[in-house]
Each structure stands twice: as C-alpha cells, then as structure tokens.
Amino acid sequence: KIAISAARVIHSVLPCREYGIDFGVNQEGKPILFEVNMTPGIDEFALIEEYAMWNRIVEIRKMQSEFDRTN
C-alpha cells in the first residue's frame, strides 16, 4: 500500500511507467521509505536463487514494451 501511494504521488509530479521503491524496516518492524527511483536497477534480483523475481521483472518490462508499441 505504501509503495502504491508513493508511486501515485511521484507520478502526479514526475510521470514514469516504472519506479523503483526502496524500503527498510525499523526496529519496531515498521517500513521506512528511503527513496523512489525513476530508473530502477534490477541487477540485485539476479542474485536471488533461481532468478524467479528477476525473470518476472523482465517479463513485465517486455509486456510494457509490447503495450507501448500497440497503443
């Protein structure tokens, strides 16, 4: 919910089709928003076992590109 809210606020000022939203968790377990990036990197997701998250991000980016070409 926080990521979607942050993206909506940023989008109202700086429209972009994709944002990278960096979170942390404080000692009480509450999420802390560190930053929102308009050109998010995905390299770190390739380090996760089996590349499942990285593959999903690449798949979504391909779908976005196809949508952009047809609209």
Side-chain angles (χ1 to χ4, degrees):
K1 290 180 181 181
I2 294 170
I4 291 169
S5 295
R8 286 183 175 147
V9 169
I10 297 295
H11 187 77
S12 70
V13 179
L14 298 167
C16 186
R17 75 175 189 184
E18 180 179 58
Y19 299 98
I21 301 176
D22 298 339
F23 281 97
V25 179
N26 69 13
Q27 292 178 345
E28 290 81 37
K30 294 185 180 183
I32 299 170
L33 175 64
F34 289 121
E35 65 180 350
V36 178
N37 301 294
M38 292 179 63
T39 53
I42 63 169
D43 295 343
E44 291 80 15
F45 289 103
L47 302 175
I48 298 173
E49 190 175 326
E50 298 180 21
Y51 298 95
M53 183 65 72
W54 186 84
N55 288 330
R56 181 69 178 135
I57 293 168
V58 170
E59 179 182 315
I60 290 168
R61 285 182 172 180
K62 286 179 183 176
M63 289 188 303
Q64 288 172 330
S65 294
E66 290 173 18
F67 178 81
D68 290 345
R69 283 194 305 265
T70 60
N71 290 313

